Amino acid sequence: MKVWLAGPGAAAVVCVALSSVLFIALYPPFNFWPLAFVATAPFAWLANRHSRDGSYATLVLSGTAFGWIASLGIVGHWMFLAAHEYFENSALSATALTVVITGINVAVYYAPLLPLAAILARLGVLARIAGFASLWTALEYLRANLWGGNPWALLGHAFYREVALIQAAAFGGVWILTWVAAATGAALASIVADTSSRRERQVALVVAAALPLLLFSYGKLSLSVFPHSIAGQGSLKVGIVQANIGKKDLWREGLRGRHLDKQIKMSRSPVLRAADLIVWPENSVPLLLNANLQVIGRLQSLANELEASLIVGAERSENTDSGHLRRFVSAFLFTPGETEYHVYDKAMMLPYIEIRPAWLSRLSEDQWSPNYSRGGAATVFEVKGWRIAPLICFDIVYPGIVSKAGDLTPDVFLNISNDSWFDHGAGPEQHFLAAVFRAIEQRRPLVRVANSGISGVIDGRGAIIRRLPSRRAVVELVEVKKFLGDRSTTDAGRRAGVLSCAAALLALGAALWSHTGVRLS
């Protein structure tokens, strides 16, 4: 092993390959979440190895290569298929789009990781571990927030199905989980690093064992307390209509009436007879709904007939003062007995699809160029005494957007989506996992309704209590219970920013400390 890793280039290649494979294995469809505790170890080991030889060019290339390879392994498959099959680009153009977008949105953020980590590796073992974890967390936070942000497949997301391990996210979002996982990997690297003394290896071993145990113990304690905060004051019965109208069928002019009829028929299912609220997915009415009075009348009549509120996804338009037409992706609420509908406009457009830069229009061969407008303020819909915060598709990926809706003190969050454009691969599951973290950050239940899945219910603990089968037309009545905890103590969406800034400062302080020659162990 030492012979193979003798050269800096060979060591870098092995570590990049190993970390990339470990990261790809963390997320859907694989979900090997225990690997999150070791996934950063090869990089921390590489930083330790190069802490004094000044080979920063190799380290920059290694970090960039990791970001590119790992992101292509996690999202490349479904991104390529979406570009090639859904948006009808050639295989070459779809490949170019996938490579360029993953480079811009992911790879560049990992370029400074290893050079900075190599500086931190000059410290004593505890400062080295904390500095590495803080650096990793800070760079992921930048990736999630700069230039629109890309908070997709963060390290802490790997734990989304492990309810006990994710309870700490109620305090500081996914960043706490990311920090613990990165620190554990750094501790493991220190155990096997040639530069570590015997005492440092012993300290690192204790840290590597203690951090996951503390995370799990905190989660079990939190879960033991949480049920006492759930109020037994009735429930909201929500009818989920998952029509499974895939790919471009939804938008074909000659089929729109048939799709509307199908969803009206599904809404009349005896299964939904007791529903207080019936929900259709994003784009379930694929037209400018505010301009189509006939369809509005049919939807209002359906709400009156079923004696249940109805939420549907559709587009709407409005004229600006300058005479330009603005288009929005919206959720419409129709209430029995009322003549006016209520609207929420999507806040976060899907990058490169719903908002497209000029360079991408030149690179892409498809004709999709809607450039929708972002919505304004968060909204709460009132349904039978329940306050419902609607969120559309990509809104759910961003903690800050959900926090703004949480300021309106909703009883439940509702996420409608149309994930049929990444019909193959793990894209829908990777999108769904974001909803788990928004529910636990806000300590509120969340209902998700998607055209082809994944639809389901997540409670305020982040537990997936109901999940409908994907890629099937199905209706189901789900029951949502109210949680009356004090949100002011659980709004992790805002504290996450503070904690991540603290992580960045800790990493910076550790880097400066490294130049003093003081070793803290």
PDB file of all heavy atoms in Angstrom, residues 463-487:
ATOM      1  N   ALA A 463     -40.101  11.642  10.670  1.00  0.00           N
ATOM      2  CA  ALA A 463     -40.404  10.245  10.368  1.00  0.00           C
ATOM      3  C   ALA A 463     -41.372  10.176   9.187  1.00  0.00           C
ATOM      4  O   ALA A 463     -42.374  10.895   9.145  1.00  0.00           O
ATOM      5  CB  ALA A 463     -41.009   9.547  11.574  1.00  0.00           C
ATOM      6  N   ILE A 464     -41.087   9.308   8.239  1.00  0.00           N
ATOM      7  CA  ILE A 464     -41.967   9.090   7.082  1.00  0.00           C
ATOM      8  C   ILE A 464     -43.069   8.132   7.529  1.00  0.00           C
ATOM      9  O   ILE A 464     -42.850   6.926   7.656  1.00  0.00           O
ATOM     10  CB  ILE A 464     -41.180   8.512   5.897  1.00  0.00           C
ATOM     11  CG1 ILE A 464     -40.030   9.437   5.526  1.00  0.00           C
ATOM     12  CG2 ILE A 464     -42.103   8.296   4.695  1.00  0.00           C
ATOM     13  CD1 ILE A 464     -39.016   8.829   4.571  1.00  0.00           C
ATOM     14  N   ILE A 465     -44.258   8.684   7.801  1.00  0.00           N
ATOM     15  CA  ILE A 465     -45.320   7.845   8.359  1.00  0.00           C
ATOM     16  C   ILE A 465     -46.227   7.260   7.286  1.00  0.00           C
ATOM     17  O   ILE A 465     -46.979   6.334   7.553  1.00  0.00           O
ATOM     18  CB  ILE A 465     -46.144   8.622   9.404  1.00  0.00           C
ATOM     19  CG1 ILE A 465     -46.811   9.848   8.787  1.00  0.00           C
ATOM     20  CG2 ILE A 465     -45.263   9.035  10.569  1.00  0.00           C
ATOM     21  CD1 ILE A 465     -47.721  10.574   9.753  1.00  0.00           C
ATOM     22  N   ARG A 466     -46.190   7.812   6.073  1.00  0.00           N
ATOM     23  CA  ARG A 466     -46.939   7.211   4.965  1.00  0.00           C
ATOM     24  C   ARG A 466     -46.249   7.588   3.666  1.00  0.00           C
ATOM     25  O   ARG A 466     -45.891   8.729   3.458  1.00  0.00           O
ATOM     26  CB  ARG A 466     -48.395   7.680   4.940  1.00  0.00           C
ATOM     27  CG  ARG A 466     -49.232   7.017   3.847  1.00  0.00           C
ATOM     28  CD  ARG A 466     -49.401   5.525   4.118  1.00  0.00           C
ATOM     29  NE  ARG A 466     -50.124   4.831   3.062  1.00  0.00           N
ATOM     30  CZ  ARG A 466     -49.563   3.985   2.183  1.00  0.00           C
ATOM     31  NH1 ARG A 466     -48.254   3.747   2.236  1.00  0.00           N
ATOM     32  NH2 ARG A 466     -50.282   3.376   1.278  1.00  0.00           N
ATOM     33  N   ARG A 467     -46.099   6.623   2.809  1.00  0.00           N
ATOM     34  CA  ARG A 467     -45.454   6.822   1.514  1.00  0.00           C
ATOM     35  C   ARG A 467     -46.226   6.051   0.461  1.00  0.00           C
ATOM     36  O   ARG A 467     -46.378   4.834   0.568  1.00  0.00           O
ATOM     37  CB  ARG A 467     -44.005   6.358   1.586  1.00  0.00           C
ATOM     38  CG  ARG A 467     -43.268   6.408   0.270  1.00  0.00           C
ATOM     39  CD  ARG A 467     -41.838   5.974   0.468  1.00  0.00           C
ATOM     40  NE  ARG A 467     -41.171   5.825  -0.808  1.00  0.00           N
ATOM     41  CZ  ARG A 467     -39.901   6.127  -1.016  1.00  0.00           C
ATOM     42  NH1 ARG A 467     -39.166   6.594  -0.030  1.00  0.00           N
ATOM     43  NH2 ARG A 467     -39.348   5.975  -2.197  1.00  0.00           N
ATOM     44  N   LEU A 468     -46.717   6.754  -0.556  1.00  0.00           N
ATOM     45  CA  LEU A 468     -47.486   6.115  -1.612  1.00  0.00           C
ATOM     46  C   LEU A 468     -46.549   5.493  -2.645  1.00  0.00           C
ATOM     47  O   LEU A 468     -45.416   5.952  -2.827  1.00  0.00           O
ATOM     48  CB  LEU A 468     -48.414   7.123  -2.299  1.00  0.00           C
ATOM     49  CG  LEU A 468     -49.754   7.416  -1.628  1.00  0.00           C
ATOM     50  CD1 LEU A 468     -49.568   8.043  -0.256  1.00  0.00           C
ATOM     51  CD2 LEU A 468     -50.610   8.321  -2.509  1.00  0.00           C
ATOM     52  N   PRO A 469     -47.007   4.462  -3.335  1.00  0.00           N
ATOM     53  CA  PRO A 469     -46.167   3.857  -4.385  1.00  0.00           C
ATOM     54  C   PRO A 469     -45.909   4.854  -5.514  1.00  0.00           C
ATOM     55  O   PRO A 469     -46.786   5.635  -5.884  1.00  0.00           O
ATOM     56  CB  PRO A 469     -47.003   2.667  -4.868  1.00  0.00           C
ATOM     57  CG  PRO A 469     -48.404   2.977  -4.457  1.00  0.00           C
ATOM     58  CD  PRO A 469     -48.303   3.774  -3.199  1.00  0.00           C
ATOM     59  N   SER A 470     -44.712   4.818  -6.054  1.00  0.00           N
ATOM     60  CA  SER A 470     -44.321   5.752  -7.116  1.00  0.00           C
ATOM     61  C   SER A 470     -44.721   5.213  -8.486  1.00  0.00           C
ATOM     62  O   SER A 470     -44.914   4.017  -8.683  1.00  0.00           O
ATOM     63  CB  SER A 470     -42.811   5.991  -7.091  1.00  0.00           C
ATOM     64  OG  SER A 470     -42.416   6.553  -5.871  1.00  0.00           O
ATOM     65  N   ARG A 471     -44.846   6.165  -9.428  1.00  0.00           N
ATOM     66  CA  ARG A 471     -45.113   5.866 -10.833  1.00  0.00           C
ATOM     67  C   ARG A 471     -46.358   5.013 -11.007  1.00  0.00           C
ATOM     68  O   ARG A 471     -46.415   4.118 -11.844  1.00  0.00           O
ATOM     69  CB  ARG A 471     -43.886   5.211 -11.480  1.00  0.00           C
ATOM     70  CG  ARG A 471     -42.650   6.122 -11.420  1.00  0.00           C
ATOM     71  CD  ARG A 471     -41.447   5.554 -12.158  1.00  0.00           C
ATOM     72  NE  ARG A 471     -40.345   6.500 -12.122  1.00  0.00           N
ATOM     73  CZ  ARG A 471     -39.345   6.474 -11.250  1.00  0.00           C
ATOM     74  NH1 ARG A 471     -39.317   5.522 -10.325  1.00  0.00           N
ATOM     75  NH2 ARG A 471     -38.393   7.367 -11.283  1.00  0.00           N
ATOM     76  N   ARG A 472     -47.354   5.310 -10.173  1.00  0.00           N
ATOM     77  CA  ARG A 472     -48.672   4.669 -10.292  1.00  0.00           C
ATOM     78  C   ARG A 472     -49.739   5.710 -10.039  1.00  0.00           C
ATOM     79  O   ARG A 472     -49.552   6.620  -9.217  1.00  0.00           O
ATOM     80  CB  ARG A 472     -48.827   3.541  -9.255  1.00  0.00           C
ATOM     81  CG  ARG A 472     -48.130   2.255  -9.611  1.00  0.00           C
ATOM     82  CD  ARG A 472     -48.274   1.241  -8.494  1.00  0.00           C
ATOM     83  NE  ARG A 472     -49.656   1.092  -8.042  1.00  0.00           N
ATOM     84  CZ  ARG A 472     -50.025   0.403  -6.965  1.00  0.00           C
ATOM     85  NH1 ARG A 472     -49.107  -0.181  -6.218  1.00  0.00           N
ATOM     86  NH2 ARG A 472     -51.289   0.298  -6.630  1.00  0.00           N
ATOM     87  N   ALA A 473     -50.872   5.592 -10.739  1.00  0.00           N
ATOM     88  CA  ALA A 473     -52.016   6.453 -10.456  1.00  0.00           C
ATOM     89  C   ALA A 473     -52.701   5.919  -9.205  1.00  0.00           C
ATOM     90  O   ALA A 473     -53.103   4.753  -9.151  1.00  0.00           O
ATOM     91  CB  ALA A 473     -52.981   6.468 -11.637  1.00  0.00           C
ATOM     92  N   VAL A 474     -52.808   6.767  -8.170  1.00  0.00           N
ATOM     93  CA  VAL A 474     -53.356   6.295  -6.909  1.00  0.00           C
ATOM     94  C   VAL A 474     -53.986   7.460  -6.155  1.00  0.00           C
ATOM     95  O   VAL A 474     -53.542   8.605  -6.276  1.00  0.00           O
ATOM     96  CB  VAL A 474     -52.239   5.631  -6.054  1.00  0.00           C
ATOM     97  CG1 VAL A 474     -51.135   6.613  -5.745  1.00  0.00           C
ATOM     98  CG2 VAL A 474     -52.785   5.028  -4.774  1.00  0.00           C
ATOM     99  N   VAL A 475     -55.042   7.160  -5.409  1.00  0.00           N
ATOM    100  CA  VAL A 475     -55.619   8.128  -4.480  1.00  0.00           C
ATOM    101  C   VAL A 475     -55.566   7.524  -3.089  1.00  0.00           C
ATOM    102  O   VAL A 475     -55.675   6.313  -2.918  1.00  0.00           O
ATOM    103  CB  VAL A 475     -57.078   8.498  -4.845  1.00  0.00           C
ATOM    104  CG1 VAL A 475     -57.132   9.196  -6.182  1.00  0.00           C
ATOM    105  CG2 VAL A 475     -57.985   7.277  -4.831  1.00  0.00           C
ATOM    106  N   GLU A 476     -55.379   8.383  -2.111  1.00  0.00           N
ATOM    107  CA  GLU A 476     -55.330   7.887  -0.736  1.00  0.00           C
ATOM    108  C   GLU A 476     -55.730   9.004   0.216  1.00  0.00           C
ATOM    109  O   GLU A 476     -55.404  10.176  -0.016  1.00  0.00           O
ATOM    110  CB  GLU A 476     -53.942   7.362  -0.387  1.00  0.00           C
ATOM    111  CG  GLU A 476     -53.879   6.751   1.007  1.00  0.00           C
ATOM    112  CD  GLU A 476     -52.721   5.792   1.165  1.00  0.00           C
ATOM    113  OE1 GLU A 476     -52.274   5.208   0.156  1.00  0.00           O
ATOM    114  OE2 GLU A 476     -52.261   5.629   2.309  1.00  0.00           O
ATOM    115  N   LEU A 477     -56.428   8.632   1.278  1.00  0.00           N
ATOM    116  CA  LEU A 477     -56.810   9.559   2.326  1.00  0.00           C
ATOM    117  C   LEU A 477     -55.829   9.405   3.481  1.00  0.00           C
ATOM    118  O   LEU A 477     -55.676   8.305   4.028  1.00  0.00           O
ATOM    119  CB  LEU A 477     -58.234   9.282   2.794  1.00  0.00           C
ATOM    120  CG  LEU A 477     -58.829  10.292   3.781  1.00  0.00           C
ATOM    121  CD1 LEU A 477     -59.048  11.637   3.090  1.00  0.00           C
ATOM    122  CD2 LEU A 477     -60.142   9.773   4.361  1.00  0.00           C
ATOM    123  N   VAL A 478     -55.141  10.487   3.831  1.00  0.00           N
ATOM    124  CA  VAL A 478     -54.176  10.443   4.928  1.00  0.00           C
ATOM    125  C   VAL A 478     -54.648  11.383   6.030  1.00  0.00           C
ATOM    126  O   VAL A 478     -55.346  12.369   5.784  1.00  0.00           O
ATOM    127  CB  VAL A 478     -52.762  10.834   4.461  1.00  0.00           C
ATOM    128  CG1 VAL A 478     -52.240   9.844   3.441  1.00  0.00           C
ATOM    129  CG2 VAL A 478     -52.740  12.246   3.898  1.00  0.00           C
ATOM    130  N   GLU A 479     -54.272  11.056   7.242  1.00  0.00           N
ATOM    131  CA  GLU A 479     -54.693  11.828   8.402  1.00  0.00           C
ATOM    132  C   GLU A 479     -53.479  12.550   8.995  1.00  0.00           C
ATOM    133  O   GLU A 479     -52.458  11.920   9.278  1.00  0.00           O
ATOM    134  CB  GLU A 479     -55.336  10.906   9.440  1.00  0.00           C
ATOM    135  CG  GLU A 479     -56.029  11.634  10.572  1.00  0.00           C
ATOM    136  CD  GLU A 479     -56.776  10.667  11.476  1.00  0.00           C
ATOM    137  OE1 GLU A 479     -56.480   9.456  11.422  1.00  0.00           O
ATOM    138  OE2 GLU A 479     -57.655  11.122  12.227  1.00  0.00           O
ATOM    139  N   VAL A 480     -53.590  13.848   9.176  1.00  0.00           N
ATOM    140  CA  VAL A 480     -52.502  14.652   9.705  1.00  0.00           C
ATOM    141  C   VAL A 480     -52.892  15.178  11.075  1.00  0.00           C
ATOM    142  O   VAL A 480     -53.966  15.756  11.240  1.00  0.00           O
ATOM    143  CB  VAL A 480     -52.180  15.838   8.764  1.00  0.00           C
ATOM    144  CG1 VAL A 480     -51.008  16.643   9.314  1.00  0.00           C
ATOM    145  CG2 VAL A 480     -51.881  15.343   7.361  1.00  0.00           C
ATOM    146  N   LYS A 481     -52.016  14.981  12.047  1.00  0.00           N
ATOM    147  CA  LYS A 481     -52.288  15.444  13.402  1.00  0.00           C
ATOM    148  C   LYS A 481     -51.522  16.737  13.679  1.00  0.00           C
ATOM    149  O   LYS A 481     -50.411  16.935  13.197  1.00  0.00           O
ATOM    150  CB  LYS A 481     -51.923  14.372  14.429  1.00  0.00           C
ATOM    151  CG  LYS A 481     -52.777  13.113  14.298  1.00  0.00           C
ATOM    152  CD  LYS A 481     -52.492  12.157  15.427  1.00  0.00           C
ATOM    153  CE  LYS A 481     -53.353  10.899  15.299  1.00  0.00           C
ATOM    154  NZ  LYS A 481     -54.779  11.192  15.417  1.00  0.00           N
ATOM    155  N   LYS A 482     -52.116  17.583  14.474  1.00  0.00           N
ATOM    156  CA  LYS A 482     -51.547  18.892  14.762  1.00  0.00           C
ATOM    157  C   LYS A 482     -50.472  18.773  15.847  1.00  0.00           C
ATOM    158  O   LYS A 482     -50.596  17.987  16.777  1.00  0.00           O
ATOM    159  CB  LYS A 482     -52.663  19.838  15.221  1.00  0.00           C
ATOM    160  CG  LYS A 482     -52.303  21.306  15.165  1.00  0.00           C
ATOM    161  CD  LYS A 482     -53.511  22.183  15.524  1.00  0.00           C
ATOM    162  CE  LYS A 482     -54.491  22.267  14.382  1.00  0.00           C
ATOM    163  NZ  LYS A 482     -55.535  23.311  14.643  1.00  0.00           N
ATOM    164  N   PHE A 483     -49.442  19.583  15.701  1.00  0.00           N
ATOM    165  CA  PHE A 483     -48.367  19.648  16.689  1.00  0.00           C
ATOM    166  C   PHE A 483     -48.327  21.069  17.236  1.00  0.00           C
ATOM    167  O   PHE A 483     -48.229  22.032  16.490  1.00  0.00           O
ATOM    168  CB  PHE A 483     -47.026  19.291  16.042  1.00  0.00           C
ATOM    169  CG  PHE A 483     -45.826  19.569  16.919  1.00  0.00           C
ATOM    170  CD1 PHE A 483     -45.636  18.850  18.084  1.00  0.00           C
ATOM    171  CD2 PHE A 483     -44.905  20.533  16.581  1.00  0.00           C
ATOM    172  CE1 PHE A 483     -44.539  19.096  18.895  1.00  0.00           C
ATOM    173  CE2 PHE A 483     -43.802  20.797  17.388  1.00  0.00           C
ATOM    174  CZ  PHE A 483     -43.622  20.069  18.545  1.00  0.00           C
ATOM    175  N   LEU A 484     -48.396  21.199  18.563  1.00  0.00           N
ATOM    176  CA  LEU A 484     -48.510  22.524  19.174  1.00  0.00           C
ATOM    177  C   LEU A 484     -47.257  22.945  19.922  1.00  0.00           C
ATOM    178  O   LEU A 484     -47.315  23.705  20.859  1.00  0.00           O
ATOM    179  CB  LEU A 484     -49.716  22.552  20.129  1.00  0.00           C
ATOM    180  CG  LEU A 484     -51.074  22.334  19.475  1.00  0.00           C
ATOM    181  CD1 LEU A 484     -52.174  22.415  20.513  1.00  0.00           C
ATOM    182  CD2 LEU A 484     -51.315  23.342  18.365  1.00  0.00           C
ATOM    183  N   GLY A 485     -46.117  22.425  19.506  1.00  0.00           N
ATOM    184  CA  GLY A 485     -44.875  22.826  20.150  1.00  0.00           C
ATOM    185  C   GLY A 485     -44.541  24.279  19.842  1.00  0.00           C
ATOM    186  O   GLY A 485     -45.086  24.890  18.930  1.00  0.00           O
ATOM    187  N   ASP A 486     -43.627  24.837  20.605  1.00  0.00           N
ATOM    188  CA  ASP A 486     -43.205  26.221  20.436  1.00  0.00           C
ATOM    189  C   ASP A 486     -42.191  26.293  19.305  1.00  0.00           C
ATOM    190  O   ASP A 486     -41.044  25.898  19.444  1.00  0.00           O
ATOM    191  CB  ASP A 486     -42.575  26.736  21.733  1.00  0.00           C
ATOM    192  CG  ASP A 486     -42.120  28.185  21.611  1.00  0.00           C
ATOM    193  OD1 ASP A 486     -42.427  28.813  20.577  1.00  0.00           O
ATOM    194  OD2 ASP A 486     -41.480  28.672  22.554  1.00  0.00           O
ATOM    195  N   ARG A 487     -42.606  26.825  18.165  1.00  0.00           N
ATOM    196  CA  ARG A 487     -41.732  26.855  17.000  1.00  0.00           C
ATOM    197  C   ARG A 487     -40.497  27.720  17.228  1.00  0.00           C
ATOM    198  O   ARG A 487     -39.459  27.517  16.601  1.00  0.00           O
ATOM    199  CB  ARG A 487     -42.512  27.364  15.779  1.00  0.00           C
ATOM    200  CG  ARG A 487     -41.678  27.428  14.508  1.00  0.00           C
ATOM    201  CD  ARG A 487     -42.485  27.965  13.334  1.00  0.00           C
ATOM    202  NE  ARG A 487     -41.600  28.213  12.220  1.00  0.00           N
ATOM    203  CZ  ARG A 487     -40.938  29.346  12.022  1.00  0.00           C
ATOM    204  NH1 ARG A 487     -41.068  30.321  12.879  1.00  0.00           N
ATOM    205  NH2 ARG A 487     -40.148  29.490  10.981  1.00  0.00           N
TER     206      ARG A 487
END
